[in-house]
């Protein structure tokens, strides 16, 4: 037989279904988010490692200038190495119909008569190349799609200075090129960097690599000592121009994928607790209100002989039912959401297949945390159940006593009409409860402020990167470190208004155990197009032999101005330099480091060398300039800033950056949930007063003023407090969204605060309207009959 | 001939629908002359409060017409009903329904601020014998005092009619008599029509007219020629 209390439980739930659903939804969103994001991260990680494994992605990459084939046996003999694949790679330029400029590409060799031991490709369309036909190539699918190229099409490409015609026989994907980034650039872009696979013999002929290779791929056996292998590989390849072997972790595509996945992971860890805390808070307020209004029933149950425990358990079950219902709905939502979203991410990361996984731990954590949070809220309620004695509970509560707190200053009092006094006195009488509601709304404001600040932060990153730090229109990179004469050649072009040289030197930067594989950029003094700027955006003078590090790099290397930095140059003679850090520069994209060009060249003992140039051009001559650049043999690639900016926008609006929109929407839902609940509870507590006002002749609007005035005051106080919370919260969230590739600053942007305030006020107005509707519908007679 | 304050024609009130429908009023025809004290008597559920709510503008009849003077309340919009209550009607309830956050005077001012032709709040409170306690909050007043504030609030607007639903239901005999005396004063001094709904049959003795309710209809109407004062009523 079902006990009467169980009946009451079900009926209570039914009666408060609106609020129960609202709170359950907050729990559900938190749990759902946790389950979804954890599932997403698990699936992406599983899919990635399966993809890497199935296509035998190398664990060590060892670039070298030109190494004879026989070294392969020596490399394979290194302890811990399980397989070696030598290959030829080279820079190429592809002519595409839809771009004014040829697109940079990497040509990669595939063994002639066998499948590659490492870095295999996944053929998505067409067939594999036939090594008997040296003009057959496979093209990276993403690039082909971006330019509408298909198997059977022919393209022109320039390799090693020679222009040749190729036939596309197939399209392929590779775990090595999930993200493709042109050399010297930071932002991946499918359209602006291609990968061509062709037979080893054909590519070796093009790059003069017969009987030799310029990159070795290695896989390791289980338990191998990675550092020892890297050292051994470097020792073997050094005499042949090895520029330093590096592990998969430093490989650019893999790095970006890892960054994106960990960005998602950060959101999975950071967001759900906010929801659960909010839900606990709401549960506490709602159930507490319910206990207050059911004093009579509680007294009756106790009078009949129900124990504190039994009565308490009844209300506790109510809390649990809401929490468990929300958690269950959250799990289902999380699975459904995860399944939908994973497809988007699989496409985004260009995984050819999906290994869908759910993280069972996330269910357990989600459900148990939501029940714990709800219990915390419930315990406070139980306390108030226990202290009620049967007799006290069954007497109608005396009117709330305002005699001690009701005195407002006489002057203020005289200025107010009675309804305003009611609003004000209620606020002064229960400052604790008002503070609770106020803090709740302030938290909503904080969430909104910090999320909108983050949006502004993303814009700021783009603005700073593309309009302040780099003011050039075109970036040119040369095939090899060229003489400064090339700069003069560029300056002579019609329509080129300014040319500034740059030398990018690949290097490993070390400070103690912290290392960074990157590029040191040598800039001329007084550069105007590409600059190192301090935190106030003033140019930093690059005089002397010191190095200037970007904020991100200084943090990563844990180094400050005045310290010495070890720079292991990975080109030419590969000197190891000790250079003092002179300053830290503001940069939100990548982790650049700057030196004076002359000082850098002197340190390398390669005077007057440049590897590229920044150009400012007159748009009217753009086409002529592009043609001229194409015809310069020393030019390896040309990139337009406008395209780079678009690519950056795309990157930040897909991947992990896109989560900011989801979080923004969620922040709004929470804000609304809190404000609406505050309004509902205030209404529940005052419905009788409001009915009385209506009876004695107040219009609906006049009666609603008493309730909504209170909501308005609480909301208005919450705005500045929420702004302060939000200011600090935005630092945490900005940090979560920052990746190794780009940093998102937490900036104080007044417009963001204004907009967030509008969001909160909007939520308050909407809540007010919903509650006002209930006030209008309330039956005066029944509201009056209830004692309290 | 005295004018009617209220008259009803076939007023019916049904709560719910179909088989669960409850007929609270089954076609009530009634005339209440102006300036009288009228007591509505009857057991619980007989329909007396329902009728009070309908002619008080708190509820609407399912069918039939209810007139206040010459105006048909059944035809009024919500806003018109609100204005009707604001300008003409005073209410006194069993549980007082005061605003706990306002003092006695402020509770009265709540009404005088919006009424068309109100009396001075202090005068209204003096009428109910609370001149000394105007600055007290409801929590500082006894039940009888709270009820007298409620009456002061109801009469301060100079109402045309005063509706009292079990005004003495929560009070002891002495306080109850005091409250009834106030109602009598209001009737005599202000000329307001006073309608009192009660269980207590003895209070009928102070009325000009007694209406007995049963099963959603009027059983009988008695015109009382020998009115007693509240002090003479058996409690």
């Amino acid at each position: 037989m079902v006990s009467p209390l169980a009946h009451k439980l079900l009926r209570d739930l039914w009666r408060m279904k609106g609020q129960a659903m609202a709170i359950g939804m907050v729990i559900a969103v938190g749990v759902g988010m946790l389950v979804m994001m954890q599932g997403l991260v698990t699936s992406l990680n599983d899919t990635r490692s399966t993809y890497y494994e199935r296509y035998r992605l190398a664990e060590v990459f060892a670039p070298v200038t030109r190494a004879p084939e026989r070294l392969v046996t020596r490399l394979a003999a290194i302890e811990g190495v399980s397989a070696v694949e030598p290959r030829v790679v080279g820079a190429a330029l592809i002519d595409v119909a839809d771009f004014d400029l040829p697109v940079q590409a990497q040509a990669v060799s595939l063994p002639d008569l066998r499948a590659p031991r490492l870095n295999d490709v996944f053929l998505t369309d067409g067939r594999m190349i036939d090594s008997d036909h040296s003009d057959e190539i496979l093209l990276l699918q993403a690039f082909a799609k971006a330019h509408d190229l298909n198997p059977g099409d022919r393209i022109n490409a320039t390799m090693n200075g020679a222009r040749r015609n190729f036939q596309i026989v197939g399209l392929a994907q590779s775990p090595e090129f999930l993200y493709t980034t042109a050399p010297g650039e930071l932002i991946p872009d499918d359209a602006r960097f291609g990968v061509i696979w062709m037979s080893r013999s054909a590519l070796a002929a093009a790059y003069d690599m017969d009987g030799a290779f310029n990159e070795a791929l290695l896989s390791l056996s289980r338990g191998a000592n990675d550092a020892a292998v890297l050292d051994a590989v470097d020792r073997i390849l050094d005499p042949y121009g090895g520029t330093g072997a590096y592990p998969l972790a430093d490989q650019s595509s893999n790095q970006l994928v890892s960054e994106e996945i960990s960005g998602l992971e950060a959101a999975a860890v950071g967001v759900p607790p906010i929801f659960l805390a909010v839900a606990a808070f709401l549960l506490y307020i709602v159930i507490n209100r319910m206990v207050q209004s059911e004093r009579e029933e509680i007294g009756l149950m106790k009078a009949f002989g129900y124990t504190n425990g039994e009565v308490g358990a009844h209300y506790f079950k109510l809390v649990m039912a809401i929490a468990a219902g929300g958690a269950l709905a959250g799990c289902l939502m999380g699975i459904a959401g995860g399944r939908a979203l994973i497809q988007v991410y699989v496409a985004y990361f260009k995984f050819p297949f999906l290994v869908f996984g759910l993280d069972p731990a996330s269910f357990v954590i989600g459900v148990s945390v939501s029940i714990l949070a709800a219990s915390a809220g419930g315990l406070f309620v139980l306390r108030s159940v226990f202290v009620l004695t049967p007799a006290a509970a069954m007497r109608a509560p005396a009117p709330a006593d305002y005699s001690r707190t009701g005195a407002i200053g006489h002057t203020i009092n005289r200025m107010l009409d009675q309804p305003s006094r009611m609003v004000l006195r209620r606020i002064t009488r229960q400052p604790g409860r008002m503070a609770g509601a106020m803090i709740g709304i302030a938290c909503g404001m904080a969430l909104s402020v910090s999320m909108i600040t983050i949006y502004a932060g993303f814009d700021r990153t783009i603005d700073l990167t593309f309009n302040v730090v780099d003011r050039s229109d075109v970036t040119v990179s040369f095939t090899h470190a060229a003489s400064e004469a090339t700069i003069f050649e560029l300056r002579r072009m019609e329509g080129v208004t300014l040319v500034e040289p740059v030398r990018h030197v690949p290097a490993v930067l070390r400070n103690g155990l912290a290392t960074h594989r990157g590029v040191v950029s040598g800039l001329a003094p007084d550069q105007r197009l590409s600059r190192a700027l301090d935190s106030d955006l003033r140019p930093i003078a690059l005089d002397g032999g010191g190095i200037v590090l970007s904020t991100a790099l200084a943090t990563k290397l844990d180094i400050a101005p005045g310290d010495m930095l070890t720079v292991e140059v990975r080109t030419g003679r590969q000197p190891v330099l000790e250079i003092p850090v002179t300053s830290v520069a503001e940069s939100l994209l990548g982790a650049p480091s700057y030196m004076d060009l002359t000082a850098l060249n002197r340190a390398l003992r390669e005077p007057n060398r440049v590897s590229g140039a920044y150009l400012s051009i007159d748009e009217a001559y753009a086409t002529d300039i592009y043609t001229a650049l194409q015809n310069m043999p020393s030019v390896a690639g040309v990139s337009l800033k406008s395209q780079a900016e678009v690519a950056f926008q795309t990157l930040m609006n897909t991947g992990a950056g896109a989560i900011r929109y989801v979080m923004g929407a969620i922040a709004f839902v929470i804000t609304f949930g809190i404000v609406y609940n505050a309004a509902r509870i205030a209404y529940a507590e005052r419905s009788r007063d409001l009915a009385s006002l209506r009876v004695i002749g107040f219009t609906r609007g006049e009666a609603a003023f008493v309730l909504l005035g209170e909501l308005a005051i609480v909301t208005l106080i919450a705005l500045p407090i929420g702004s302060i919370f939000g200011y600090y919260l935005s630092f945490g969230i900005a940090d979560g969204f920052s990746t190794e590739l780009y940093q998102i600053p937490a900036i104080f942007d007044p417009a963001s605060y204004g907009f967030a305030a509008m969001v909160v006020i909007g939520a308050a107005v909407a809540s007010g309207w919903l509650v006002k509707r209930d006030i209008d519908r309330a039956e005066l007679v029944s509201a009056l009959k209830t004692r309290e | 001939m005295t004018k009617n304050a209220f008259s009803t024609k076939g007023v019916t009130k049904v709560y719910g629908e179909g088989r669960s429908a409850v007929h609270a009023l089954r076609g009530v025809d009634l005339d209440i002359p102006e300036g009288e004290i009228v007591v509505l008597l009857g057991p619980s559920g007989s329909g007396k409060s329902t009728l009070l709510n309908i002619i008080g503008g708190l509820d609407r009849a399912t069918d039939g017409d209810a007139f206040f003077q010459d105006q048909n309340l059944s035809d009024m919009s919500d806003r018109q009903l609100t204005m009707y209550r604001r300008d003409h009607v005073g209410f006194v309830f069993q549980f007082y329904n005061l605003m706990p956050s306002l003092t006695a005077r402020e509770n009265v001012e709540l009404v005088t601020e919006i009424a068309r032709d109100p009396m001075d709040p202090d005068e209204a409170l003096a009428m109910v014998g609370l001149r000394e306690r105007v600055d007290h909050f409801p929590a500082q007043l006894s039940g009888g005092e709270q009820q007298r504030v409620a009456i002061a609030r109801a009469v301060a607007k100079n109402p045309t009619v005063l509706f009292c639903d079990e005004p003495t239901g929560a009070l002891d005999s002495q306080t109850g008599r005091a409250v009834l005396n106030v109602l009598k004063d209001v009737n005599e001094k202000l000329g307001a029509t006073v309608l009192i709904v009660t269980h207590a049959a003895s209070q009928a003795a102070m009325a000009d007219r007694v209406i007995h309710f049963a099963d959603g209809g009027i059983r009988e109407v008695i015109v009382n020629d020998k009115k007693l004062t509240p002090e003479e009523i058996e409690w």
Side-chain angles (χ1 to χ4, degrees):
Chain A
M1 196 192 106
V2 187
S3 81
L5 276 186
H7 276 298
K8 175 167 156 40
L9 184 70
L10 292 175
R11 296 218 174 102
D12 285 347
L13 272 174
W14 180 247
R15 189 159 49 86
M16 58 182 294
K17 55 186 178 295
Q19 269 185 319
M21 289 247 290
I23 298 169
M25 277 311 291
V26 176
I27 297 177
V29 173
V31 173
M33 185 99 180
L34 182 77
V35 168
M36 180 179 85
M37 298 302 277
Q38 289 286 10
L40 202 57
V41 169
T42 309
S43 300
L44 290 176
N45 273 326
D46 288 356
T47 303
R48 172 171 69 160
S49 55
T50 310
Y51 189 23
Y52 283 5
E53 224 167 87
R54 213 176 275 178
Y55 291 88
R56 302 182 299 280
L57 186 64
E59 286 156 277
V60 172
F61 295 75
V64 59
T65 308
R66 190 178 198 284
E69 194 73 20
R70 63 186 156 77
L71 292 185
V72 171
T73 18
R74 282 181 62 196
L75 290 171
I78 296 172
E79 192 184 334
V81 172
S82 61
V84 180
E85 180 67 76
R87 67 178 185 181
V88 176
V89 295
L93 289 172
I94 303 175
D95 296 342
V96 285
D98 48 348
F99 273 30
D100 285 342
L101 285 164
V103 175
Q104 302 192 63
Q106 185 171 27
V108 179
S109 73
L110 288 172
D112 279 5
L113 294 169
R114 59 174 172 83
R117 280 186 288 265
L118 296 171
N119 290 20
D120 202 352
V121 296
F122 166 66
L123 197 66
T124 59
D125 200 1
R127 60 170 173 82
M128 289 301 284
I129 40 186
D130 178 351
S131 55
D132 288 343
H133 298 97
S134 62
D135 68 337
E136 289 188 1
I137 60 166
L138 297 181
L139 201 58
L140 185 68
Q141 188 204 25
F143 175 79
K145 259 173 141 175
H147 296 286
D148 196 23
L149 292 167
N150 293 298
D153 292 347
R154 299 194 73 89
I155 55 167
N156 287 320
T158 310
M159 288 181 185
N160 207 14
R163 197 172 150 89
R164 295 174 56 187
N165 186 263
F166 294 100
Q167 178 168 26
I168 304 168
V169 298
L171 304 182
Q173 290 185 355
S174 155
E176 187 183 354
F177 299 109
L178 293 174
Y179 278 104
T180 50
T181 311
E185 289 196 26
L186 287 163
I187 304 140
D189 188 349
D190 286 344
R192 294 195 305 123
F193 188 70
V195 178
I196 295 171
W197 285 275
M198 50 196 288
S199 72
R200 169 92 185 265
S201 51
L203 199 57
Y207 286 93
D208 193 21
M209 287 280 167
D210 276 329
F213 61 89
N214 60 9
E215 186 171 50
L217 306 172
L218 291 83
S219 65
L220 306 179
S221 49
R222 202 178 283 272
N225 179 343
D226 298 19
V229 171
L230 292 179
D231 280 349
V233 171
D234 283 347
R235 271 197 302 277
I236 295 171
L237 294 182
D238 257 0
Y240 303 93
T243 49
Y246 58 90
L248 178 59
D250 285 348
Q251 197 255 351
S252 67
S253 164
N254 181 55
Q255 243 176 354
L256 278 164
V257 175
S258 303
E259 275 294 326
E260 288 286 297
I261 295 180
S262 61
L264 292 174
E265 208 161 7
V269 174
V271 179
I274 300 174
F275 282 82
L276 298 175
V278 168
F281 177 69
L282 294 180
L283 263 178
Y284 163 67
I285 291 185
V286 169
I287 303 292
N288 195 31
R289 164 69 207 160
M290 188 171 169
V291 168
Q292 288 308 321
S293 67
E294 292 194 349
R295 314 161 32 94
E296 226 173 300
E297 283 94 326
I298 294 170
L300 209 59
M301 284 192 271
K302 286 192 180 179
F304 289 161
Y306 281 96
T307 63
N308 268 338
E310 283 160 340
V311 178
H314 168 68
Y315 288 96
F316 200 67
K317 277 185 205 157
L318 196 69
V319 173
M320 285 301 113
I322 295 172
L328 188 69
C331 289
L332 296 176
M333 272 165 53
I335 295 173
R339 275 186 186 277
L341 207 55
I342 187 78
Q343 299 298 343
V344 176
Y345 276 92
V346 162
Y348 172 67
F349 286 116
K350 302 184 211 98
F351 293 139
F353 53 82
L354 161 68
V355 181
F356 188 75
L358 282 169
D359 181 9
S362 67
F363 292 98
V364 178
I365 293 172
V367 171
S368 47
V369 169
S370 45
I371 288 190
L372 268 176
S375 307
L379 280 178
F380 285 102
V381 175
L382 290 192
R383 217 184 39 184
S384 56
V385 172
F386 291 164
V387 296
L388 275 176
T389 65
M394 289 186 62
R395 272 197 302 273
D401 190 351
Y402 283 82
S403 57
R404 256 168 300 167
T405 54
I408 329 169
H410 199 66
T411 339
I412 303 180
N413 218 357
R414 258 192 315 190
M415 296 188 322
L416 300 175
D417 60 0
Q418 304 310 329
S420 308
R421 288 182 199 178
M422 290 173 70
V423 170
L424 207 61
R425 288 200 185 137
R426 209 176 109 89
I427 290 174
T428 52
R429 178 171 182 271
Q430 291 186 304
R433 178 165 296 188
M434 291 300 144
M438 192 271 297
I439 288 171
I441 297 175
C443 289
M445 172 72 185
L447 269 180
S448 299
V449 160
S450 49
M451 284 316 299
I452 296 167
T453 299
I454 292 308
Y455 294 166
F458 273 82
D459 292 342
R460 163 92 173 153
T461 300
I462 290 182
D463 182 52
L464 191 68
T465 305
F466 292 101
N467 297 322
V468 181
V469 172
D470 181 357
R471 298 191 290 189
S472 69
D473 300 313
V474 178
T475 308
V476 176
S477 58
F478 303 134
T479 47
H480 53 275
S483 78
E484 281 179 354
T486 326
I487 300 294
F488 296 121
E489 203 177 326
L490 292 173
R491 279 189 185 138
R492 278 198 300 274
M493 285 182 187
E494 193 172 12
V496 173
T497 49
L498 195 58
V499 179
E500 289 179 353
V502 62
R503 175 146 196 211
H504 294 300
V505 176
V508 175
L509 310 181
R510 280 189 212 282
N511 178 39
L513 289 175
T515 63
H516 174 78
R517 177 177 294 272
V519 166
V520 177
S521 303
L523 300 176
D526 323 318
Q527 293 247 71
R528 284 189 295 171
L529 296 182
S530 175
R531 310 173 295 169
L533 301 173
D534 67 13
S535 54
D536 295 325
L537 304 185
R538 283 184 308 242
I540 298 174
L542 296 172
D543 42 6
I547 188 166
V548 173
L549 303 180
S550 56
T551 331
L553 194 50
T555 310
K556 185 179 178 187
L557 294 173
D558 190 20
I559 200 165
D563 296 346
M564 294 300 282
L565 178 71
T566 307
V567 178
E568 296 173 9
V569 177
R570 294 299 193 189
T571 184
R573 273 184 291 271
Q574 304 200 21
V576 175
L577 311 169
E578 292 288 323
I579 304 177
V581 176
T582 50
S583 191
V584 171
E586 183 77 10
S587 167
L588 298 173
L589 179 63
S593 56
Y594 309 96
M595 280 183 74
D596 172 55
L597 178 60
T598 318
L600 178 63
N601 278 337
R602 197 185 314 124
L604 296 175
R605 296 197 213 148
E606 293 173 353
N608 303 330
R609 293 280 140 183
V610 292
S611 66
Y614 297 104
L615 272 59
S616 174
I617 64 166
D618 180 346
E619 278 304 316
Y621 294 90
T623 319
D624 295 344
I625 294 170
Y626 300 155
T627 316
L629 288 173
Q630 250 179 65
N631 292 331
M632 278 177 71
S634 55
V635 170
V638 177
S639 72
L640 304 185
K641 195 173 70 177
S642 53
Q643 291 176 345
E645 187 171 344
V646 171
F648 193 33
Q649 292 264 19
T650 312
L651 177 75
M652 296 202 304
N653 287 335
T654 47
I659 295 291
R660 72 185 189 273
Y661 295 114
V662 177
M663 285 177 63
I666 286 170
F668 177 75
V669 170
I670 292 194
T671 306
F672 180 77
I674 295 172
V675 177
Y676 177 65
N677 248 288
R680 277 240 66 90
I681 288 162
Y683 175 52
E685 288 173 350
R686 321 211 61 186
S687 55
R688 189 161 169 270
D689 285 356
L690 295 176
S692 300
L693 286 175
R694 293 275 289 121
V695 166
I696 61 178
F698 276 66
T699 62
R700 286 175 176 155
E702 287 163 343
F705 166 80
V706 172
L707 181 68
L708 301 183
E710 180 184 315
L711 180 66
I713 290 180
V714 169
T715 304
L716 290 178
I717 298 174
L719 292 180
I721 295 175
S723 300
I724 297 170
F725 288 176
Y727 177 75
Y728 290 103
L729 186 61
S730 61
F731 284 96
I733 296 186
D735 208 39
F737 273 108
S738 296
T739 69
E740 186 130 313
L741 177 60
Y742 56 80
Q743 283 87 49
I744 300 302
I747 50 174
F748 180 81
D749 168 35
S752 300
Y753 286 72
F755 188 66
M758 300 276 284
V759 167
V760 173
I761 291 172
V765 169
S767 304
W769 181 77
L770 286 171
V771 172
K772 165 105 172 35
R773 229 176 34 161
D774 282 5
I775 297 176
D776 292 350
R777 283 182 189 162
E779 282 197 40
L780 299 180
V781 178
S782 55
L784 285 174
K785 289 287 176 192
T786 51
R787 287 203 302 189
E788 170 55 279
Chain B
M1 181 188 151
T2 45
K3 267 174 48 181
N4 280 338
F6 294 99
S7 57
T8 66
K9 303 255 181 310
V11 166
T12 304
K13 181 71 187 178
V14 184
Y15 294 105
E17 284 175 16
R19 296 183 59 179
S20 63
V22 175
H23 291 261
L25 289 177
R26 303 165 185 267
V28 171
D29 299 321
L30 177 68
D31 292 315
I32 297 175
E34 269 182 358
E36 289 194 352
I37 294 182
V38 180
V39 167
L40 283 69
L41 279 176
S44 288
S46 58
K48 54 191 191 306
S49 289
T50 308
L51 182 70
L52 190 81
N53 290 335
I54 289 171
I55 61 180
L58 294 180
D59 205 352
R60 288 172 181 283
T62 313
D63 202 6
D65 294 313
F67 291 91
F68 165 70
Q69 295 169 346
D70 297 330
Q71 302 166 52
N72 191 345
L73 297 174
S74 309
D75 293 341
M76 286 190 183
S77 67
D78 276 359
R79 186 159 183 94
Q80 286 170 320
L81 282 180
T82 301
M83 288 305 139
Y84 161 62
R85 292 197 301 269
R86 178 184 284 206
D87 295 336
H88 297 287
V89 185
F91 283 99
V92 178
F93 293 96
Q94 182 177 4
F95 297 112
Y96 332 133
N97 291 74
L98 299 178
M99 299 295 137
S101 55
L102 298 179
T103 61
R105 184 197 281 119
E106 288 168 343
N107 261 288
V108 177
E109 283 172 348
L110 195 59
V111 166
T112 58
E113 273 175 8
I114 60 168
R116 240 185 350 201
D117 175 30
M119 61 172 80
D120 178 57
D122 287 338
E123 190 189 325
L125 284 161
M127 223 174 129
V128 297
L130 285 175
R131 194 190 290 278
E132 308 303 317
R133 311 203 50 130
V134 291
D135 287 325
H136 287 63
F137 284 94
Q140 299 167 298
L141 300 172
S142 71
E145 287 171 329
Q146 288 184 55
Q147 189 61 301
R148 282 189 277 159
V149 175
I151 293 172
R153 185 176 68 180
V155 302
K157 69 168 69 161
N158 276 320
T160 320
V161 287
L162 190 61
F163 289 95
C164 310
D165 197 349
E166 302 282 1
T168 57
L171 305 175
D172 61 55
S173 63
Q174 198 186 345
T175 330
R177 281 203 175 89
V179 164
L180 292 181
N181 257 322
V182 173
L183 296 179
K184 179 169 157 281
D185 280 359
V186 170
N187 172 251
E188 287 168 1
K189 292 181 184 159
L190 305 179
T193 310
V194 176
L195 271 75
I196 303 171
V197 162
T198 181
H199 277 100
S202 58
Q203 288 177 21
M206 65 177 278
D208 294 301
R209 190 179 296 260
V210 183
I211 303 170
H212 287 269
F213 273 78
D215 301 325
I218 293 171
R219 207 184 61 204
E220 69 174 325
V221 179
I222 298 169
V223 180
N224 183 12
D225 297 330
K226 295 176 192 141
K227 274 167 69 175
L228 300 182
T229 62
E231 284 76 16
E232 295 165 330
I233 291 173
E234 275 182 50
W235 204 267

